[in-house]
Amino acid sequence: MNSNLAQNIECLETDGAPLIVNMGPSHPAFHGALRTQVYLDGETIVKAKSEIGYLHRCFEKHSENSCYQNVIPYTDRLNYVSSLMNNVGYCKAVEDLMGVVVPDRAIIVRVLICELSRVIDHLVCVGTNLVDLGALTNFWYTFNVREKVYDFIEKISGARLTYSYTRIGGLSRDLYSGYEKDLKILISEMRQAIRDVKGLVLKNRIFLDRTRDVCVVSKKQALDWGFTGPCLRASGVPFDLRKAEPYYYYETFDFDIPVGEVGDTYDRIMVRFEEMDQSLHIMEQCIARMPKGPIMTDDKRVRLPAKQEVYTNIEALMNHFKIVMHGIKPPKGEIYSRTEVANGELGFYLISDGSMNPYRLKVRPPCFYMFAAFEHMIKGYMIADAVATLGSLNVVVGESDR
Amino acid sequence: MENFITNMIAQCSWLQSLPKWVVVFGFQIFFSVLILFAFVAIFAMLAGYVERRVAGRIQSRIGPNRVGPQGILQSLADGIKVFLKEDVVPTAADPILFRIAPYFVFVGMFLAFVAIPFSAQWVISDFNLGIFYLLACEALVVIGIVMSGWASNNKWSLIGGMRSAAQIVSYEVPVSLTILMIVLWCGTMDIQQIILSQGPMPWHWHVFQNPFLFIGFFIFFIGSLAEGNRMPFDMPEAESELVSGYNTEYSGFRFIIFFFAEFANLYLIGAIVTILFLGGWQAGVLPEFFVSIFGAENPWIVALIKNFTQLFVFQAKALVLVFVIIQLRWTLPRVRVDQLMALCWKYLVPISFVNLLAISFWVVFVPEIGTKITAGVMTTFGAIIFIYFFYRVYWQLKFSKAKIRMNPFS
């Protein structure tokens, strides 16, 4: 706590006017370890101060001391709700820096898993947001199907939460044969879950009263505060990196970007609902156009040679030795690579000095900017509104604190 | 009872030293409390179990099913567990108020049971101000909640207590006005008389007597939910906003007393609504029918069968309402505090006033035959609404396609 804040508290305490309460770091509605100190007049928030850092794990410093492949498991812990997208984002940054060409099949699988994790991320966000509003039942409707998605991802990656599925230059393993059948069932189940939850909330007067015109973020404010993703689109700015700056053949997929009108909590929730439908549509297209071929690039700088080659060929043996012992060495340079994850723009700013470790890896998490704006957004609203809004912003602390 | 007490006095020497009326009175109170306590305790346990089980079904999971057959003893197990916990009193709390607050809540709930008639004869105390007494008991609960919120020395608890005070005091107004309507309609405050002025069939019930009582029924039901801090009006507890409200700091036995009171209150809501609007224990020809089936001659047995039948009718109505309340809890989101107050003061209170005026005019000007006609019409109307409601729910579940306020950007 800085001295300024302490002074404020002192004068407020002596005035006896507002009631100061800490929301978080352990509060049922503040998922993760967030903290906002709110000054209450009755139940209205007159002032708020946010604080982060309760889940700081030195991700960036860790990365500077690990070789490029070893950073991939760390990225799982950024946004642990949809880790696959972080894997993809980081690998894309390194590949762009090195100019590695990823084969088509790997790209389409990456799109597929990205959209899958976008859906489960939104499911968690919507489910927990509705729990914050008091509608507890929706939580199970969203989490039941999320559990099934975990089963599917476990089948393709071997893990349920921290997948580390991608590799620099491709994927760790191919999809299993017959995955289409499982995935199609899964898609219909997800559709059903979304329909169930929509059925419970869309025409619910209490839900509409609680969310409409609550914590409105105008277009200008959203842009000023650096919002990206669903929260920016809810404010009416049709900005989506998948359309604005297409990567991974996103320009060839058929999907729409839902845009809200007002920028209130209702729009943020509805944009997420609509995005889930769009993502499911993209996943169906992925299944339809899944190309055959390798899942790993044949670029010798990043790819381990085949075992047969290693045992029989001195070139391959040396290549293998260099990658395992000295790691991947991108050329000197720097790159800012960004992808559209569930919460918005996830950027990796990577500086390489030509050694086996990144010189600097800076993450631009989408949540950080939204939580920074949170204290301004809730001013003048009530505690219940603050709780509803934080849920709709979907701040994942693992990502914003790193 | 008389013989039993005489025997007891003859057996125990220390009872002989007391005046006889003290002994009789003491025994009556003792047994009444014993029976009531057993009833409330068992009901609270079963309600806790049913609530969790229904919640499980609604949320597509199973719910407690391990302790006892189908998990029916789960509440007992939980009770024992909580019983064994340490009774923590926070250092900064006000020790006396903190300790006695749960009892205020519990006593308020418990006292209300004294005036609830479970059948024509089975009522602890049938006195001429019964309905007024019920209101007074409900109001006692708020003292306990505010006390616990204040004494916990926790800001969240305090907010919860304050919310509760505001909420219960506000909703007392529409609820009381609605009760006043019934009092005007029946011309009595005696609960048994109120029940007797209705009849066994739906068209005899107060709810279908005229349109104003029909509206009053819903006002009373909503108001009772709010007074009892049930979803969607569980402001004082609001676990996602206020952590857990006024009972955050409580543990062990004191905590379970709060829970007890909550479930007892759940039943009370159902029972009072049944008494006022749904004909109470009136069972029509059913008691006679059962008596003839069993061929009972002994007047004790006849009375027992009649009372039991009435008890079952009463419980069935009350428990259906309890079930509705449980379902509401797991379906609806929570309203916000200001919306809660707006609902009360902007809608329910004015409507209740208009209702009260209208019912006064009705009582004075509308002849008996007019009431009979409206009762018939309203019952049909009620039945249609009931059927339409289920049709709507079915339709909503099957075919509804929701509209979204959204411009898909392409």
Side-chain angles (χ1 to χ4, degrees):
Chain A
M1 195 191 303
N2 60 40
S3 61
N4 196 10
L5 182 60
Q7 228 169 15
N8 275 341
I9 290 171
E10 211 165 276
C11 87
L12 288 167
E13 290 275 17
T14 46
D15 280 351
L19 179 72
I20 303 166
V21 289
N22 273 308
M23 299 186 86
S26 78
H27 182 279
F30 280 53
H31 312 288
L34 294 164
R35 173 166 168 234
T36 302
Q37 200 170 36
V38 291
Y39 298 64
L40 296 176
D41 174 23
E43 289 225 8
T44 314
I45 295 166
V46 288
K47 193 178 158 195
K49 274 268 173 209
S50 296
E51 205 171 80
I52 59 161
Y54 289 92
L55 206 63
H56 183 55
R57 301 169 323 281
C58 307
F59 167 79
E60 288 169 7
K61 195 67 195 167
H62 261 307
S63 310
E64 287 169 24
N65 294 316
S66 321
C67 64
Y68 283 90
Q69 298 101 318
N70 286 4
V71 177
I72 296 173
Y74 294 150
T75 62
D76 282 335
R77 277 86 178 163
L78 284 178
N79 182 348
Y80 39 77
V81 186
S82 53
S83 329
L84 283 168
M85 291 171 124
N86 307 328
N87 297 163
V88 171
Y90 170 73
C91 288
K92 181 171 174 289
V94 181
E95 285 151 10
D96 287 357
L97 182 63
M98 298 179 74
V100 173
V101 180
V102 183
D104 274 2
R105 184 175 172 86
I107 284 179
I108 301 296
V109 172
R110 280 185 184 186
V111 171
L112 180 72
I113 59 174
C114 276
E115 297 310 319
L116 192 60
S117 19
R118 196 183 310 279
V119 174
I120 58 174
D121 191 290
H122 286 348
L123 279 175
V124 170
C125 171
V126 168
T128 51
N129 196 355
L130 290 170
V131 170
D132 295 343
L133 291 171
L136 203 60
T137 300
N138 300 293
F139 180 79
W140 274 270
Y141 290 172
T142 57
F143 269 60
N144 276 345
V145 68
R146 189 182 145 86
E147 210 49 41
K148 285 172 186 160
V149 176
Y150 274 168
D151 287 343
F152 176 75
I153 296 178
E154 190 181 9
K155 267 185 167 178
I156 61 171
S157 76
R160 284 180 79 81
L161 191 66
T162 50
Y163 315 107
S164 307
Y165 181 50
T166 58
R167 293 288 179 269
I168 295 162
L171 303 167
S172 65
R173 63 190 82 183
D174 204 349
L175 296 169
Y176 60 95
S177 63
Y179 77 96
E180 300 98 333
K181 209 171 121 238
D182 288 2
L183 198 56
K184 272 175 187 159
I185 295 169
L186 205 55
I187 288 172
S188 71
E189 274 172 354
M190 282 190 269
R191 285 227 165 92
Q192 183 60 43
I194 295 164
R195 209 177 301 139
D196 286 348
V197 177
K198 270 187 183 171
L200 270 175
V201 299
L202 267 196
K203 288 181 183 172
N204 190 328
R205 183 60 196 268
I206 299 175
F207 170 77
L208 297 180
D209 282 352
R210 280 294 304 277
T211 52
R212 281 203 173 165
D213 300 321
V214 166
C215 296
V216 177
V217 179
S218 69
K219 256 185 204 184
K220 184 174 182 307
Q221 279 174 325
L223 289 169
D224 287 351
W225 284 331
F227 277 24
T228 45
C231 296
L232 178 67
R233 295 193 279 276
S235 299
V237 184
F239 177 75
D240 188 324
L241 286 174
R242 294 175 294 173
K243 286 273 188 201
E245 202 176 85
Y247 55 95
Y248 288 167
Y249 306 137
Y250 265 117
E251 68 275 15
T252 60
F253 285 99
D254 168 41
F255 66 100
D256 293 333
I257 306 174
V259 175
E261 284 172 1
V262 184
D264 50 6
T265 303
Y266 176 83
D267 280 347
R268 285 189 281 271
I269 296 174
M270 286 306 140
V271 163
R272 287 207 159 82
F273 269 127
E274 196 58 29
E275 270 189 22
M276 284 194 268
D277 280 343
Q278 299 296 336
S279 291
L280 292 174
H281 186 46
I282 297 177
M283 281 162 66
E284 283 170 343
Q285 294 173 49
C286 285
I287 299 173
R289 64 186 272 187
M290 183 64 72
K292 291 207 165 35
I295 50 146
M296 197 68 190
T297 177
D298 45 10
D299 193 320
K300 288 204 172 66
R301 289 175 298 167
V302 295
R303 189 211 160 126
L304 286 175
K307 266 284 174 285
Q308 187 61 32
E309 290 281 298
V310 175
Y311 289 142
T312 54
N313 186 345
I314 184 63
E315 290 280 328
L317 180 64
M318 278 174 67
N319 192 0
H320 186 268
F321 180 80
K322 289 291 280 181
I323 289 179
V324 170
M325 298 307 291
H326 299 147
I328 293 166
K329 287 184 181 164
K332 259 188 193 173
E334 58 184 56
I335 191 164
Y336 179 70
S337 158
R338 52 186 187 170
T339 50
E340 180 79 20
V341 298
N343 282 335
E345 174 185 330
L346 176 71
F348 285 94
Y349 181 56
L350 186 61
I351 304 178
S352 160
D353 57 355
S355 70
M356 60 185 281
N357 300 339
Y359 178 75
R360 177 84 170 95
L361 179 59
K362 168 82 175 78
V363 182
R364 184 228 185 263
C367 306
F368 181 79
Y369 300 85
M370 286 177 263
F371 190 57
F374 178 62
E375 61 185 42
H376 305 292
M377 287 166 69
I378 60 175
K379 212 171 282 175
Y381 292 96
M382 302 183 101
I383 295 180
D385 294 333
V387 165
T389 305
L390 187 70
S392 74
L393 291 180
N394 192 17
V395 178
V396 179
V397 190
E399 193 175 56
S400 82
D401 282 6
R402 305 192 289 290
Chain B
M1 199 69 178
E2 199 67 42
N3 292 337
F4 176 71
I5 291 170
T6 323
N7 281 340
M8 284 294 283
I9 293 172
Q11 300 273 326
C12 306
S13 56
W14 62 273
L15 284 177
Q16 284 160 4
S17 60
L18 295 168
K20 196 183 172 190
W21 67 270
V22 172
V23 179
V24 173
F25 199 59
F27 267 99
Q28 277 178 351
I29 288 181
F30 177 74
F31 279 107
S32 312
V33 169
L34 198 69
I35 292 169
L36 261 190
F37 198 83
F39 175 77
V40 175
I42 290 174
F43 179 80
M45 267 173 50
L46 282 182
Y49 166 73
V50 169
E51 166 130 47
R52 291 169 68 180
R53 200 71 182 166
V54 170
R57 290 286 156 172
I58 290 175
Q59 294 167 348
S60 64
R61 58 193 173 85
I62 297 167
N65 69 341
R66 293 287 149 156
V67 191
Q70 289 295 309
I72 200 152
L73 298 177
Q74 183 67 46
S75 302
L76 191 65
D78 288 352
I80 291 168
K81 186 201 83 172
V82 175
F83 209 68
L84 296 174
K85 295 230 170 207
E86 188 187 351
D87 178 26
V88 181
V89 180
T91 328
D94 185 322
I96 298 168
L97 289 184
F98 187 83
R99 286 199 173 91
I100 63 173
Y103 303 118
F104 270 80
V105 176
F106 184 70
V107 164
M109 294 294 168
F110 190 71
L111 282 182
F113 275 87
V114 171
I116 302 277
F118 294 101
S119 76
Q121 287 165 330
W122 288 352
V123 47
I124 304 288
S125 177
D126 178 26
F127 53 104
N128 56 7
L129 280 177
I131 203 72
F132 188 68
Y133 168 79
L134 280 183
L135 276 179
C137 291
E138 285 273 316
L140 191 60
V141 174
V142 69
I143 297 176
I145 291 181
V146 173
M147 207 186 260
S148 64
W150 166 255
S152 299
N153 197 12
N154 175 333
K155 286 167 182 170
W156 295 117
S157 301
L158 183 63
I159 295 174
M162 289 300 155
R163 276 182 173 188
S164 172
Q167 178 178 339
I168 295 181
V169 169
S170 304
Y171 275 85
E172 203 96 296
V173 178
V175 166
S176 309
L177 285 174
T178 314
I179 288 181
L180 215 54
M181 280 170 71
I182 298 282
V183 172
L184 273 179
W185 186 254
C186 311
T188 176
M189 278 184 156
D190 187 332
I191 295 183
Q192 289 288 39
Q193 292 301 322
I194 289 175
I195 294 174
L196 285 172
S197 73
Q198 306 174 56
M201 302 314 267
W203 50 87
H204 297 139
W205 294 349
H206 279 153
V207 57
F208 294 132
Q209 287 302 304
N210 63 45
F212 307 108
L213 283 172
F214 189 71
I215 297 168
F217 169 75
F218 289 101
I219 291 179
F220 188 82
F221 191 61
I222 294 170
S224 302
L225 284 182
E227 264 197 276
N229 304 331
R230 290 291 299 184
M231 257 324 210
F233 308 111
D234 67 340
M235 290 296 112
E237 288 161 32
E239 68 274 354
S240 61
E241 295 157 26
L242 301 185
V243 190
S244 169
Y246 61 88
N247 58 24
T248 309
E249 298 289 348
Y250 282 88
S251 64
F253 190 58
R254 280 171 225 284
F255 180 73
I256 214 167
I257 288 177
F258 276 122
F259 246 68
F260 226 55
E262 194 184 317
F263 284 114
N265 187 50
L266 180 64
Y267 177 76
L268 265 185
I269 296 172
I272 296 176
V273 173
T274 309
I275 288 166
L276 291 181
F277 290 98
L278 303 180
W281 44 258
Q282 295 259 24
V285 294
L286 265 184
E288 306 292 337
F289 175 68
F290 278 114
V291 168
S292 66
I293 278 189
F294 291 112
E297 295 284 326
N298 187 335
W300 276 88
I301 308 277
V302 169
L304 197 67
I305 291 173
K306 278 187 177 174
N307 280 321
F308 251 115
T309 322
Q310 288 165 346
L311 176 74
F312 274 117
V313 170
F314 180 75
Q315 299 294 39
K317 290 176 191 169
L319 292 182
V320 165
L321 286 171
V322 168
F323 188 67
V324 170
I325 297 168
I326 290 177
Q327 286 213 324
L328 281 181
R329 172 171 184 183
W330 297 109
T331 312
L332 295 177
R334 185 182 299 120
V335 299
R336 207 169 57 207
V337 167
D338 58 328
Q339 291 163 355
L340 181 84
M341 289 296 155
L343 175 68
C344 180
W345 292 107
K346 286 187 184 163
Y347 299 96
L348 295 188
V349 171
I351 294 172
S352 316
F353 269 116
V354 171
N355 257 349
L356 189 65
L357 268 180
I359 208 92
S360 321
F361 280 110
W362 192 290
V363 168
V364 176
F365 294 116
V366 178
E368 188 79 1
I369 183 77
T371 308
K372 279 203 172 127
I373 294 168
T374 43
V377 173
M378 286 305 297
T379 313
T380 328
F381 181 62
I384 290 170
I385 287 184
F386 201 61
I387 294 166
Y388 179 70
F389 173 75
F390 279 101
Y391 168 73
R392 255 313 271 199
V393 170
Y394 178 76
W395 183 84
Q396 191 81 22
L397 288 177
K398 283 281 174 203
F399 312 111
S400 164
K401 284 220 173 60
K403 284 197 183 72
I404 309 178
R405 193 182 75 185
M406 199 70 62
N407 292 336
F409 178 85
S410 51

